Amino acid sequence: MAKIDEVAKAAGVSISTVSYALSGKRPVSAETRTRIEAAVLELDYHPNAGARMLAGSRTNIFALTEPFRGDTHAPTHMSFVLAASIAARRNDYDLLLLTQEDSSRGMSRVASSGLVDGILVLDVAPADERVALARRIDIPTVFIGVPDDHEGLVCVDLDFEAAAALAVQRLADAGHRSVGLIGQPAIAYDNSNFPPRVRRGFDAQADECGLDAQFRTSGSVRPDAITTRRGTAELLDAGVTGLVVHASEEAIREVLAEVGERGLSIPADVSVISVASSFDAASLAPPLDDIPLIPQRSCDVAVDLALRALEANPPAPSVHLIAPEYHSRGSVGSVREGPEDTAR
Amino acid sequence: MAKIDEVAKAAGVSISTVSYALSGKRPVSAETRTRIEAAVLELDYHPNAGARMLAGSRTNIFALTEPFRGDTHAPTHMSFVLAASIAARRNDYDLLLLTQEDSSRGMSRVASSGLVDGILVLDVAPADERVALARRIDIPTVFIGVPDDHEGLVCVDLDFEAAAALAVQRLADAGHRSVGLIGQPAIAYDNSNFPPRVRRGFDAQADECGLDAQFRTSGSVRPDAITTRRGTAELLDAGVTGLVVHASEEAIREVLAEVGERGLSIPADVSVISVASSFDAASLAPPLDDIPLIPQRSCDVAVDLALRALEANPPAPSVHLIAPEYHSRGSVGSVREGPEDTAR
DNA sequence: TTGAAAGCGCTACCAG
DNA sequence: CTGGTAGCGCTTTCAA
């Protein structure tokens, strides 16, 4: 546990020069810097975090609030936490984990004790209690997700509406007249912010294109095979030829299984697009066109925004929507002219 | 952002009295304490974290290393992270998250900068790189899991060997002569520390009881239905009447499905016990006897050990194995006398 | 380009 | 039971 004065002595310079050499906030001659760096390595010097926090204006820590509710999709959430951690570390920041210990109390605690420089909010609910807190707190807070009431907040997320709309548009372009959305488990439409956004985008674009549109969930609380199968079956029975799926990998497998068991093939008989998937839609059988949800992208932007909020000219509050990217894998085909059409 | 001197002034006492009143490290008269508490509330005072870390000997932060590898079972890992977080908070500690590429470097970084008081290690591999680091570092490190080489380390975990042995013993007691273990995906036997421990306990106890014992995995990389089904089928074909399952909820459902489709009933024809399950085995159909893995228990002990390691008389390094608890739900029955037995 | 020194806000020792 | 105060190890202003 060498201290800065030992480094200074070893390098034959003053304490302040060591500090500046390490922070780069003041020019230091190449020769001096070399000596200091050697001393640092020699003594295995690491600046004391507490002293830094006290003397400096930064703690180099962001809080990450992630309730870890039991009903959420664990793999997706883990991806976001990991992506946030990587993005933070790349900017020399650590993450302090705040779980459901009263997410609000944790936030105000770390904010008012000066433990963290900013807060990243994950697993955002449509009506999220952390929204009110973010407004009250005096450190930058970035939401990864968009709550219903986001006035004055900084939010980052995939543009789910646009993603769903893009999928519908592709189907419409391919001639499909009747499309269906297999969504998340029903409860997610209350607990999470993005499933409703996908649904809105889907409905709006279907309307825009004059398509017949229907919706089914993939379960009530968690994805379940029965509900997903039945929902898919109902849509196919109703003459849907284009499916947009916003569901877990397991649920999508059920959708594909149902399609397969009916002897329908993709894309000849039915077209399928996965939206906001955080798994690899290319490894499904058959590989599906998809518009992926990339945690890394959201988290990179979020960390960047948090960092910029600490600088002199903080960016104004706003919702950063990440443009959807469509990946073609051959699961969308032109609609086959059906008997109704020729009969007319 | 009120400071301690403002509180002191407001309460009409000295700074040190405020400090002692809040820490409880020195007796303070009831009346004085009341005035101080009033001032604290009034000014919304929260001690500055950096100053505390610098002046005091504690940071009130533990690091949590959790690689978040892609091939792990996310729900279980999330449970552990959550349990660790809750245990830490209950002791007024926060958790700093260290993820993958950070695991080794991150540990030494936070240790030598004095950012954290101790480290909790999750997702322990049999040959874990963090073991060497833990020995080098000068702050307490607690492993939640037991690496192969755990000499001199503090480890906490469910006694997986004993859990598996207990399950086998129950089957033996019920008269089963041939038992099978449906385990984790194959890769977990290299990447994680506990699957091999379950298998060892299973084999040892079967040997001890003179039972015929067989083993199958539930997949190669992730649990998969096909492998699980086939493994179950093979065991049943081989005359196994007692199944010990150490697998994910989805995999167990496949096991039960295979048993059901063969027209076998539980426990009349086949007995099934789930070991080290971190989901609710009571909600399966039929409800299964199980020996649960309770993240909360491991994490409570781990935090407690970390805390005690900071005190004057730190406990000696040791492996704390948590005794397995058997929950009966009627999925184990006496073995039916088969033709071979009566023929003798 | 470098150095000296004044804090940052708290804890804990030494007095009383 | 309470107060005064010397640091904790760094960052940053002011001087040179």
Side-chain angles (χ1 to χ4, degrees), chain B residues 14-26:
Chain B
S14 72
I15 284 180
S16 50
T17 300
V18 173
S19 177
Y20 285 117
L22 295 178
S23 71
K25 292 186 180 174
R26 191 166 88 171

Side-chain angles (χ1 to χ4, degrees), chain B residues 78-100:
Chain B
M78 243 175 60
S79 306
F80 271 92
V81 173
L82 182 59
S85 166
I86 291 173
R89 282 304 308 148
R90 190 169 43 234
N91 292 281
D92 203 33
Y93 265 73
D94 273 305
L95 288 185
L96 193 87
L97 191 63
L98 261 29
T99 54
Q100 55 184 23

Side-chain angles (χ1 to χ4, degrees), chain B residues 252-308:
Chain B
I252 289 199
R253 288 185 194 281
E254 295 299 331
V255 171
L256 297 181
E258 180 66 28
V259 170
E261 285 179 16
R262 291 177 164 236
L264 299 174
S265 72
I266 298 171
D269 305 303
V270 181
S271 294
V272 182
I273 303 174
S274 171
V275 296
S277 19
S278 56
F279 53 86
D280 183 19
S283 68
L284 293 168
L288 295 186
D289 283 24
D290 87 329
I291 300 170
L293 168 61
I294 309 173
Q296 191 186 331
R297 293 202 49 197
S298 302
C299 292
D300 284 355
V301 176
V303 166
D304 196 56
L305 285 170
L307 249 17
R308 271 160 43 193

Side-chain angles (χ1 to χ4, degrees), chain A residues 62-135:
Chain A
F62 284 137
L64 183 76
T65 54
E66 158 61 280
F68 279 143
R69 294 176 288 114
D71 63 308
T72 58
H73 191 243
T76 302
H77 284 260
M78 243 175 60
S79 306
F80 271 92
V81 172
L82 182 58
S85 166
I86 291 172
R89 281 305 307 148
R90 192 171 40 235
N91 292 281
D92 204 33
Y93 265 73
D94 274 304
L95 289 185
L96 193 86
L97 191 62
L98 261 28
T99 54
Q100 63 190 10
E101 109 184 84
D102 209 351
S103 49
S104 327
R105 191 149 69 199
M107 277 173 69
S108 44
R109 183 171 54 78
V110 297
S112 53
S113 69
L115 218 199
V116 305
D117 292 337
I119 302 181
L120 306 178
V121 181
L122 282 183
D123 195 6
V124 177
D128 203 298
E129 58 168 330
R130 295 168 294 182
V131 167
L133 247 131
R135 298 201 175 104

Side-chain angles (χ1 to χ4, degrees), chain B residues 86-335:
Chain B
I86 291 173
R89 282 304 308 148
R90 190 169 43 234
N91 292 281
D92 203 33
Y93 265 73
D94 273 305
L95 288 185
L96 193 87
L97 191 63
L98 261 29
T99 54
Q100 55 184 23
E101 84 262 78
D102 230 40
S103 59
S104 276
R105 224 206 332 252
M107 275 173 70
S108 44
R109 182 170 53 77
V110 296
S112 54
S113 69
L115 218 199
V116 305
D117 292 336
I119 302 181
L120 305 178
V121 182
L122 282 183
D123 195 6
V124 177
D128 203 298
E129 57 169 330
R130 295 167 293 181
V131 167
L133 248 134
R135 298 202 175 104
R136 201 154 47 225
I137 276 175
D138 53 356
I139 58 174
T141 302
V142 178
F143 286 75
I144 299 176
V146 185
D148 287 344
D149 169 17
H150 50 262
E151 171 86 31
L153 303 182
V154 179
C155 307
V156 182
D157 212 356
L158 170 66
D159 190 339
F160 287 93
E161 279 96 343
L166 177 53
V168 170
Q169 186 64 58
R170 289 288 182 131
L171 293 173
D173 290 348
H176 295 269
R177 307 303 305 159
S178 180
V179 297
L181 171 65
I182 303 282
Q184 303 266 306
I187 197 177
Y189 290 83
D190 291 326
N191 289 346
S192 284
N193 71 92
F194 58 93
R197 289 158 60 202
V198 168
R199 189 168 178 195
R200 278 200 294 273
F202 175 84
D203 286 340
Q205 190 65 29
D207 193 50
E208 171 86 17
C209 297
L211 309 185
D212 174 51
Q214 298 193 54
F215 169 72
R216 293 293 185 284
T217 66
S218 55
S220 55
V221 175
R222 333 163 125 231
D224 82 83
I226 312 283
T227 307
T228 308
R229 285 288 192 125
R230 195 183 51 223
T232 307
E234 289 169 359
L235 293 181
L236 294 174
D237 285 341
V240 164
T241 58
L243 284 174
V244 176
V245 189
H246 177 212
S248 68
E249 181 167 7
E250 304 78 54
I252 289 199
R253 288 185 194 281
E254 295 299 331
V255 171
L256 297 181
E258 180 66 28
V259 170
E261 285 179 16
R262 291 177 164 236
L264 299 174
S265 72
I266 298 171
D269 305 303
V270 181
S271 294
V272 182
I273 303 174
S274 171
V275 296
S277 19
S278 56
F279 53 86
D280 183 19
S283 68
L284 293 168
L288 295 186
D289 283 24
D290 87 329
I291 300 170
L293 168 61
I294 309 173
Q296 191 186 331
R297 293 202 49 197
S298 302
C299 292
D300 284 355
V301 176
V303 166
D304 196 56
L305 285 170
L307 249 17
R308 271 160 43 193
L310 294 172
E311 291 172 356
N313 299 324
S318 63
V319 176
H320 286 247
L321 292 179
I322 295 171
E325 278 177 19
Y326 192 95
H327 294 205
S328 278
R329 302 202 177 86
S331 68
V332 171
S334 324
V335 75

Side-chain angles (χ1 to χ4, degrees), chain A residues 3-4 16 19-20 25 45 55:
Chain A
K3 301 182 303 179
I4 198 172
S16 51
S19 177
Y20 285 119
K25 292 186 180 174
Y45 169 70

